[in-house]
Amino acid sequence: MRGPRALWQAWVRRSRTKSPWIVHFDCGGCNGCDIEILDTLMPRFSAERFGVINVGDPRQGDILLVTGPANLRNAAVLRSVYDQMAEPKAVVAVGSCAAHGGVFRGAPNILGGVGELVPVDVFVPGCPPTPERILEGVIAALPLLAEPRTARQATGGPSPMSIVMLEPREEEVVRVPAS
Ligand code: SF4
């Protein structure tokens, strides 16, 4: 029979994975992905019916949803937001810019995808991804909230080391300018 501590831990684990609180951070894209995230939270797609709640304080967040490319201006802020979130936490990179810099890749202040700065767990392809795809990305990150993990390094972008890369559909493929 499980003791009170084990029962409490199981209850917390269940709450986290059944009602993830998200922190939305725009690194500096064109806002297309941000509009889709807002649409995901609005009544039409209503992510809240799955317990997904958007919070403003990183210390309350479970999943960091990042849009836009990593860039010199926002690098320290993104890292700070990530560091403020308590374990267990997950990072979902939304859109082509967050994955590899997208249409901004090659610009002087662009570092590439947000994986250059924080360890990304799920890459959601598209420019911008649809609300259904964003929800798919959040759902793919849920198992990561069950247990705290040891400190992880930035991934550098989509690679075999990435935990999940949602399979891009034909209309989601974006040509990247040579850097
Ligand atoms: S992926 Fe496309 S829609 Fe999203 S921020 Fe970049 S350019 Fe805008």
Side-chain angles (χ1 to χ4, degrees):
M1 188 176 157
R2 291 194 292 182
R5 183 179 171 81
L7 283 173
W8 180 79
Q9 285 173 332
W11 178 77
V12 169
R13 194 179 306 123
R14 179 182 164 80
S15 302
R16 278 206 188 99
T17 53
K18 297 293 181 187
S19 178
W21 288 15
I22 62 165
V23 177
H24 169 205
F25 185 81
D26 172 14
C27 233
C30 76
N31 284 144
C33 290
D34 306 298
I35 297 295
E36 296 301 323
I37 288 178
L38 290 180
D39 207 13
T40 308
L41 297 166
M42 292 289 116
R44 185 168 177 212
F45 293 97
S46 190
E48 279 198 18
R49 73 196 139 123
F50 302 122
V52 179
I53 296 175
N54 188 29
V55 293
D57 187 344
R59 292 169 296 182
Q60 298 175 339
D62 302 308
I63 298 177
L64 178 59
L65 281 188
V66 195
T67 62
N71 60 77
L72 292 173
R73 184 181 175 89
N74 276 347
V77 183
L78 174 60
R79 190 67 213 185
S80 167
V81 168
Y82 174 80
D83 287 341
Q84 288 178 66
M85 294 173 65
E87 285 285 356
K89 59 188 171 186
V91 180
V92 177
V94 177
S96 307
C97 292
H100 47 60
V103 293
F104 300 102
R105 192 178 174 91
N109 64 331
I110 299 299
L111 301 170
V114 296
E116 303 287 344
L117 304 171
V118 293
V120 177
D121 299 297
V122 181
F123 291 95
V124 181
C127 179
T130 60
E132 292 96 333
R133 293 291 264 167
I134 295 170
L135 264 179
E136 214 179 312
V138 169
I139 291 167
L142 291 181
L144 305 171
L145 302 178
E147 299 292 341
R149 285 171 294 172
T150 53
R152 294 173 304 139
Q153 300 299 314
T155 57
S159 74
M161 293 298 290
S162 308
I163 293 176
V164 182
M165 171 78 178
L166 299 185
E167 192 64 34
R169 296 172 185 149
E170 182 59 32
E171 66 275 16
E172 293 172 335
V173 175
V174 174
R175 294 193 183 283
V176 181
S179 52

